[in-house]
């Protein structure tokens, strides 16, 4: 194989109580990347279409994660990367994660899969570090693996695919304002109250149990973020209005997607997600901020190969 074209999905990360450890892909939104073998050693961005991202290989998340992979695998060729960027940078739905994961996935395939997909996570995280100043796994892991993924740490046994009850859908609104992940992390306190920690751990444990038992009542009680949301919501216009509407319309939970400004809600069934979509659009139209919305299954698909030669 000399050339591969892939679809690398957008992702919702944190998922309320899973800060930096939990995420899932959205079905219909993602970037396309074409990666080709080259006689020239090293890795380059040769084309970017759609939303702008750096071409400089020291600054692009795709090349930074790929460089590290290449250092370890030492292939006898280089790689050219083209990106069709559909996910807006700074949107909170894994824009950088999509490319950091896509490049290492594509290169690993072109080299005949020397590493497992789980082993690629630590390389993709290095790319994340460039754009957000933090090497978090909660976007790149679900982008690579698909499904609701919990990353305890990067060793394979600590990367856990959680069950997704059949009826779970998500609604996402992406207000078209940029919130840089680095800034959204900077405003977080470095220490938290013991009581907040207790609540967050209890919610996360209950969430995992609810997923294993398809217990929607318990899901509703546990999709809660006691630590992060209160600090970041001020960066997101009409956050409280949107959240209240989602809960009023039956959402099991609603919080900030990743570092924002996107907001997600989880619903039981597609109908509630569609109702939420209609009403939240009305709220956001009043803000005069451009936005997109998505209604999707909690996708069990990660990166997909579109074509290869
Ligand atoms: N877990 C990261 C954060 C995700 O919340 O900062 C960033 O997309």
């Amino acid at each position: 194989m000399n050339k591969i074209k892939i679809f690398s999905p957008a992702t919702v990360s944190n998922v309320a109580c899973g800060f930096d450890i939990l995420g899932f892909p959205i079905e219909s939104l993602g970037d396309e990347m074409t990666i080709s073998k080259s006689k020239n050693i090293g890795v380059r961005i040769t084309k970017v279409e759609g939303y702008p991202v750096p071409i400089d290989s020291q600054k692009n998340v795709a090349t930074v994660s790929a460089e590290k992979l290449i250092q370890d695998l030492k292939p006898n060729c280089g790689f050219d990367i083209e990106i069709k960027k559909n996910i807006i940078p700074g949107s909170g739905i894994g824009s950088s994660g999509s490319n950091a994961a896509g490049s290492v996935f594509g290169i690993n395939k072109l080299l005949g899969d020397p590493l497992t997909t789980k082993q690629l996570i630590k390389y993709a995280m290095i790319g994340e570090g460039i754009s957000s100043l933090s090497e978090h796994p909660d976007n790149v892991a679900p982008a690579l693996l698909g499904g609701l993924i919990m990353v305890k740490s990067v060793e394979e046994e600590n990367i856990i695919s959680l069950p997704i009850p059949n009826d779970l859908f998500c609604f996402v609104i992406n207000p078209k304002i940029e919130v840089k992940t680095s800034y959204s992390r900077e405003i977080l306190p470095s220490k938290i109250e013991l009581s907040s920690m207790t609540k967050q751990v209890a919610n996360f444990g209950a969430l995992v149990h609810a997923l294993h038992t398809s217990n929607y009542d318990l899901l509703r009680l546990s999709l809660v973020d006691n630590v992060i949301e209160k600090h970041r919501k001020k960066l997101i216009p009409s956050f409280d209005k949107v959240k209240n509407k989602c809960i009023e319309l039956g959402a099991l939970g609603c919080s900030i997607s990743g570092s924002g400004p996107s907001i997600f809600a989880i619903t039981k069934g597609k109908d509630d997600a569609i109702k939420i979509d209609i009403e939240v659009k009305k709220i956001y139209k009043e803000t005069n901020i451009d936005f997109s919305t998505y209604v999707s299954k909690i996708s069990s698909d990660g990166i997909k190969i579109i074509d290869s030669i």
Side-chain angles (χ1 to χ4, degrees), residues 13-14 19-20 136 138-139 181 185 232 258-259:
S13 57
N14 297 337
F19 180 66
D20 273 0
H136 50 273
D138 49 335
N139 295 107
T181 302
R185 295 182 78 87
R232 286 178 165 173
S259 52

Side-chain angles (χ1 to χ4, degrees), residues 17-188:
C17 50
F19 180 66
D20 273 0
I21 57 170
L22 185 64
F24 63 84
I26 303 171
E27 249 168 6
S28 49
L29 179 65
D31 291 344
E32 281 177 21
M33 298 172 76
T34 304
I35 303 162
S36 317
K37 280 186 183 165
S38 157
K39 283 186 206 125
N40 301 323
I41 295 299
V43 53
R44 292 152 295 275
I45 302 291
T46 48
K47 188 171 166 190
V48 176
E49 277 178 68
Y51 294 107
V53 286
I55 302 280
D56 181 344
S57 60
Q58 305 295 310
K59 294 190 180 141
N60 187 291
V61 295
T63 37
V64 168
S65 53
E67 286 283 5
K68 190 69 193 148
L69 181 70
I70 286 169
Q71 266 174 34
D72 284 359
L73 296 180
K74 301 184 181 37
N76 57 7
C77 63
F79 301 92
D80 293 338
I81 301 177
E82 296 178 13
I83 302 175
K84 186 161 176 244
K85 190 98 202 98
N86 300 317
I87 316 170
I88 310 180
S91 54
I93 42 176
S95 178
S96 56
S98 162
N99 297 159
S103 67
V104 294
F105 178 91
I107 290 173
N108 192 50
K109 279 276 168 236
L110 290 175
L111 296 176
D113 279 331
L115 299 183
T116 65
T117 310
K118 282 187 176 176
Q119 285 172 329
L120 296 174
I121 291 172
K122 71 171 185 206
Y123 295 99
M125 285 167 67
I126 294 168
E128 280 283 41
I130 280 289
S131 75
S132 65
L133 307 180
S134 139
E135 294 185 2
H136 50 273
D138 49 335
N139 295 107
V140 295
L144 281 162
L145 297 168
L148 187 56
I149 304 295
M150 198 270 255
V151 182
K152 188 166 165 305
S153 63
V154 294
E155 299 78 35
E156 292 205 45
E157 64 275 21
N158 283 329
I159 299 162
I160 297 159
S161 179
L162 292 168
I164 305 171
N166 266 343
D167 285 351
L168 285 195
F169 274 78
C170 81
F171 158 80
V172 176
I173 178 162
N174 170 211
K176 309 247 168 120
I177 50 169
E178 188 184 17
V179 173
K180 284 194 186 302
T181 302
S182 50
Y183 179 68
S184 195
R185 295 182 78 87
E186 226 175 83
I187 62 166
L188 298 177

